[in-house]
Amino acid sequence: MEYFISLFILASINIILATSFNLILGYGGLLSVAQPIFFALGAYCSALIAIYFEIPIFLSIILASLVAGIFAFGVSLPSLRVSGDYLVVSTLGFQLGTLHIINNIEITGAAGGLSNIPPLISHPYRSLLTLFIVVCFAVLSIWMVRKIMRSAYGRAITALRNDETAFSSLGRNPIRIKVLIVALSAAMAGFAGGMYSHYYLYITPEQFGIFATATLLTMVVIGGAGTVLGPAFGAIIITTLPEIITFLNLPVSIMAPLQGVIFTGLVLIFIFLKPSGLIGSTRGLDGLEIWKK
Amino acid sequence: MVNFKKLSVFSVFILIFGLFIPKIVHAEETLKFGMADPLTGPAAIFGKDQAQAVTWAVEDINAAGGVRGRKLEAIILDHQAKPEVGINAINRLVEVEKVPVFITAFSNVVKAVAPIANRTETLMFSVGANAPVIKELGDYVYTTFPLADVDMNKLPTYLIQKHGKKRAAVLFVNHETGIDGAKVFSEAFKRDGGDVVLFESYEQERSDFTGLVLKVKAAKPDIVHIHSVIRDFTAIVSQMRQLGLDVQVTSYQTAFNPKMIEELGEGAEGIIVTALAPSVEDNDNLQGYLDRWQAEENREPIGLPYTQYFHDAPYIIAELFGKLIDEGKEINGTNLRQALLEIKTFDLPLTNAVTFSDDHTVDKPVYYWQVKNGKFTLIGKSD
């Protein structure tokens, strides 16, 4: 049972992460590749705060989430003056640079990773209770994004994504909106990172590299960028599918290429046959359709 | 499109439950243990052969009557040498397959899954991970494989005393195994009167080492010790040779790899590597094992010493199971751990006698191998 609980905890954490990424990618139309690094900031900060200051774990997760948000605010101010390819390059630089720092300083455990992280819950039903909490926050994150996108502010985000020039000509400040959604999204990712570190109790820099970005992007694309529930479904599929494959008990010579083919195949199938994603509607601008403009 | 959506979601759930449930209800009377190792990804080059060694050992144990008449069964899962995948694999082994003991390797994974072993009181053997910190991972975590502070402590002594080397350049990949191994080597080299003229790391995934090689050239060492993964090791040595740097190269057990010689060709000549498993001269069963590889796979195993330890891990586990059966005790992680503490010394087919110390580690002699005429040749052994 613990195995399934652990898997669903990871899926729920990924739901928060994918939902946060969807806010900037799907709704904001901003292609940032640095989302896993905000997840990492949350994971490392929360773990370090808990280890060195011995404050309640949940408080350390909240503080780490704020740290991730503040970092995102600081980074996005200059980088959001650019967009498109330039934004990809600047966020990639931020991701690699931050990982390099984490990889080389003693306090984060450097390349060896950070262990001895205190658990969020120390109880015989630790995993079950953690699952309950993480599922609640996953639902909360989806609800929050839905609420934002249905508000006047959400309509402004959509308008900005659809036509920044027209949006600016109405006297609105596009940078302000971009910075705020990036900061909010990073705070959500940081929160997910905090939950991750206090459940799995060990983190290493290699978990937050470019492969993590690709996985996250796949979750959002498959589920449906720019939809409320799409990234959540994408997160569940991408988290559970590799485990499901292992239960097929296939020979290694088949399993190794199959894993690569499945992920690449899924992305290609959705790009060409269902660019709006699993949950995306056939009308309007959802999923990858928003990038066709 | 609504059908597509429903169908996709439905398929996922059918797959999840359809595949999981039969495994849960299907119980067998075998004595199960788990193995998690990289079977896919870049590290699979080692993991596949290690899994093969375990499979053969289990076959041999069962062919000889099993454990008190009961069959031994290895449940082998892939962890891709990634901590997060390793956590899922070990959770599955412990919670779904209900194994009371499992083996795994790769320092980052070993560290990530150690809390699971301790929390669930499942006996865990690290077989091949060598970060010194492994001995501090908790009550249920043991290593059957000597840690980096064994061979990297002895190699400098050997190089200084037997080969007269005095100036070492140390290059290492910036991950746990690289950092720890390089540190131990450097400190031991200085302790024995040598001079470390360059101590330089590089980031993983790097492919161009020209700058690094030029730094080595400028430092004028008489030996270059490279503590990295095999792909980087081959690339660094290759670029050293291309830039005309013919200095003596050393490394640890990961470079004990016939593919490395194949790829470097003449550039591999003279390289000295350590191995922590006995050679054919020191072990009567090893030649038969190597012949089996030739007969069934038409090649030598990748990372022979690692596969020797993997091959022998099921024999340790079988002996622990046997003790509990003899004593009529319940087979669980706690009792297996107690049996390990009581037996302590195991006489094993390919790695000879292994004694578990109180600090959860083992000590073994270090074998020094050098590439001569395109083959690894044994040139020495520590006390």
Side-chain angles (χ1 to χ4, degrees):
Chain A
M1 197 62 185
E2 178 86 14
Y3 168 67
F4 298 102
I5 293 172
S6 172
L7 199 58
F8 287 119
I9 287 172
L10 184 60
S12 303
I13 289 170
N14 281 338
I15 288 174
I16 302 173
L17 188 59
T19 302
S20 75
F21 193 40
N22 185 39
L23 192 60
I24 52 170
L25 178 80
Y27 291 116
L30 301 167
L31 187 53
S32 156
V33 297
Q35 199 70 357
I37 210 65
F38 297 119
F39 182 68
L41 279 173
Y44 274 100
C45 289
S46 182
L48 291 171
I49 291 169
I51 290 169
Y52 289 103
F53 297 99
E54 294 181 357
I55 62 170
I57 305 295
F58 197 71
L59 187 59
S60 72
I61 296 175
I62 300 284
L63 288 174
S65 169
L66 288 174
V67 170
I70 291 165
F71 259 88
F73 184 81
V75 170
S76 61
L77 264 179
S79 59
L80 286 176
R81 294 183 185 278
V82 295
S83 58
D85 298 345
Y86 299 103
L87 182 61
V88 175
V89 172
S90 63
T91 52
L92 181 65
F94 176 65
Q95 182 179 28
L96 296 178
T98 310
L99 274 180
H100 193 75
I101 293 168
I102 294 172
N103 225 359
N104 286 286
I105 54 175
E106 206 69 27
I107 193 169
T108 59
L114 188 62
S115 50
N116 297 323
I117 302 170
L120 175 63
I121 297 164
S122 300
H123 186 274
Y125 293 110
R126 166 184 179 263
S127 294
L128 204 59
L129 292 170
T130 307
L131 177 65
F132 177 74
I133 292 169
V134 179
V135 166
C136 287
F137 279 104
V139 172
L140 183 68
S141 67
I142 294 168
W143 176 82
M144 199 169 74
V145 169
R146 183 174 179 269
K147 195 83 180 160
I148 290 170
M149 293 317 298
R150 291 195 172 187
S151 68
Y153 196 74
R155 286 190 289 277
I157 293 171
T158 312
L160 170 65
R161 179 193 71 192
N162 291 343
D163 194 331
E164 189 171 334
T165 313
F167 182 83
S168 304
S169 69
L170 293 172
R172 304 292 295 263
N173 183 353
I175 299 296
R176 189 176 156 188
I177 288 190
K178 285 182 187 177
V179 167
L180 280 175
I181 59 169
V182 168
L184 177 62
S185 161
M188 287 168 69
F191 186 86
M195 297 299 285
Y196 181 93
S197 67
H198 292 288
Y199 179 69
Y200 288 104
L201 313 182
Y202 174 74
I203 43 177
T204 68
E206 66 193 79
Q207 291 170 262
F208 310 104
I210 209 71
F211 184 76
T213 305
T215 309
L216 190 53
L217 194 59
T218 310
M219 288 176 192
V220 177
V221 166
I222 286 176
T227 65
V228 173
L229 287 176
F233 276 93
I236 293 170
I237 291 169
I238 296 301
T239 309
T240 55
L241 202 57
E243 294 302 310
I244 292 167
I245 292 169
T246 66
F247 277 86
L248 294 171
N249 290 327
L250 296 170
V252 172
S253 55
I254 296 175
M255 193 167 71
L258 183 68
Q259 285 183 335
V261 167
I262 284 181
F263 284 103
T264 315
L266 274 176
V267 173
L268 290 175
I269 286 169
F270 277 90
I271 283 175
F272 290 109
L273 298 180
K274 192 87 168 60
S276 55
L278 194 60
I279 301 297
S281 69
T282 50
R283 299 171 310 218
L285 293 174
D286 280 344
L288 292 178
E289 300 283 357
I290 61 173
W291 297 95
K292 285 187 176 176
K293 296 185 288 113
Chain B
M1 286 301 177
V2 172
N3 285 342
F4 180 85
K5 190 188 302 178
K6 282 184 177 170
L7 189 69
S8 308
V9 174
F10 182 70
S11 305
V12 168
F13 282 101
I14 286 293
L15 268 171
I16 291 172
F17 293 105
L19 290 167
F20 287 177
I21 287 171
K23 293 292 288 185
I24 298 168
V25 297
H26 187 65
E28 288 183 41
E29 286 302 312
T30 53
L31 294 164
K32 286 183 185 177
F33 71 94
M35 172 183 175
D37 217 28
L39 303 178
T40 60
I45 185 174
F46 289 105
K48 285 181 193 170
D49 284 5
Q50 290 161 357
Q52 183 62 72
V54 167
T55 306
W56 282 342
V58 171
E59 281 172 13
D60 293 346
I61 291 167
N62 288 336
V67 183
R68 312 296 186 269
R70 289 172 71 178
K71 297 272 185 206
L72 193 64
E73 183 187 354
I75 313 283
I76 302 175
L77 295 182
D78 180 20
H79 68 41
Q80 299 173 21
K82 292 180 183 168
E84 66 276 22
V85 184
I87 287 166
N88 285 337
I90 298 304
N91 270 327
R92 180 178 151 188
L93 286 172
V94 172
E95 302 296 337
V96 180
E97 309 293 349
K98 304 284 180 199
V99 300
V101 52
F102 66 87
I103 59 177
T104 190
F106 287 80
S107 299
N108 57 351
V109 177
V110 168
K111 283 175 78 176
V113 303
I116 301 174
N118 292 318
R119 192 176 68 239
T120 60
E121 296 179 343
T122 305
L123 184 60
M124 166 177 165
F125 287 114
S126 164
V127 188
N130 67 353
V133 73
I134 286 170
K135 61 186 159 206
E136 297 158 12
L137 292 181
D139 287 348
Y140 281 82
V141 182
Y142 288 81
T143 176
T144 70
F145 184 82
L147 302 179
D149 42 13
V150 174
D151 57 342
M152 288 304 107
N153 249 320
K154 292 175 181 171
L155 177 64
T157 314
Y158 174 77
L159 293 170
I160 289 171
Q161 289 179 358
K162 301 279 181 191
H163 292 260
K165 305 296 182 188
K166 289 285 178 195
R167 292 167 58 83
V170 181
L171 309 179
F172 58 99
V173 61
N174 194 11
H175 70 33
E176 184 156 35
T177 302
I179 296 167
D180 289 343
K183 269 186 193 167
V184 176
F185 177 90
S186 298
E187 281 160 18
F189 200 81
K190 286 186 253 183
R191 174 201 65 203
D192 290 343
D195 189 11
V196 177
V197 293
L198 183 72
F199 188 77
E200 191 86 11
S201 72
Y202 65 88
E203 294 305 313
Q204 295 181 62
E205 312 298 334
R206 184 166 164 179
S207 56
D208 179 22
F209 299 97
T210 313
L212 209 58
V213 173
L214 291 175
K215 277 188 183 175
V216 173
K217 214 169 178 175
K220 294 189 173 63
D222 50 22
I223 192 162
V224 179
H225 178 74
I226 304 172
H227 219 93
S228 66
V229 295
I230 188 63
R231 182 193 56 204
D232 301 350
F233 177 84
T234 310
I236 294 169
V237 177
S238 170
Q239 289 176 32
M240 278 172 61
R241 303 306 188 222
Q242 283 165 18
L243 290 169
L245 197 59
D246 259 344
V247 67
Q248 169 76 61
V249 173
T250 63
S251 190
Y252 71 116
Q253 193 161 271
T254 200
F256 193 103
N257 188 330
K259 283 210 166 173
M260 179 273 286
I261 300 178
E262 202 179 298
E263 286 174 25
L264 286 174
E266 281 189 14
E269 285 299 309
I271 290 173
I272 294 175
V273 300
T274 58
L276 290 153
S279 62
V280 173
E281 292 80 359
D282 273 7
N283 183 284
D284 296 338
N285 302 314
L286 188 56
Q287 190 56 54
Y289 174 73
L290 290 169
D291 293 344
R292 190 174 188 176
W293 273 98
Q294 283 298 341
E296 298 200 22
E297 302 287 332
N298 198 27
R299 62 177 172 86
E300 287 176 42
I302 306 292
L304 169 65
Y306 292 113
T307 71
Q308 287 173 251
Y309 279 94
F310 269 90
H311 175 276
D312 285 358
Y315 286 88
I316 297 175
I317 291 168
E319 200 168 332
L320 297 177
F321 277 138
K323 183 172 167 64
L324 294 191
I325 292 170
D326 290 344
E327 294 174 355
K329 287 185 179 166
E330 187 191 346
I331 293 176
N332 58 33
T334 307
N335 287 341
L336 285 168
R337 179 177 175 271
Q338 189 56 39
L340 176 73
L341 295 176
E342 287 168 18
I343 298 174
K344 269 197 164 189
T345 300
F346 296 78
D347 198 16
L348 300 169
L350 298 183
T351 50
N352 300 338
V354 167
T355 301
F356 288 88
S357 350
D358 292 340
D359 66 354
H360 296 206
T361 64
V362 294
D363 194 7
K364 299 288 283 181
V366 180
Y367 295 81
Y368 305 108
W369 295 80
Q370 187 164 33
V371 181
K372 287 182 178 174
N373 302 318
K375 282 196 164 186
F376 283 110
T377 309
L378 187 67
I379 55 166
K381 178 186 165 187
S382 73
D383 298 331

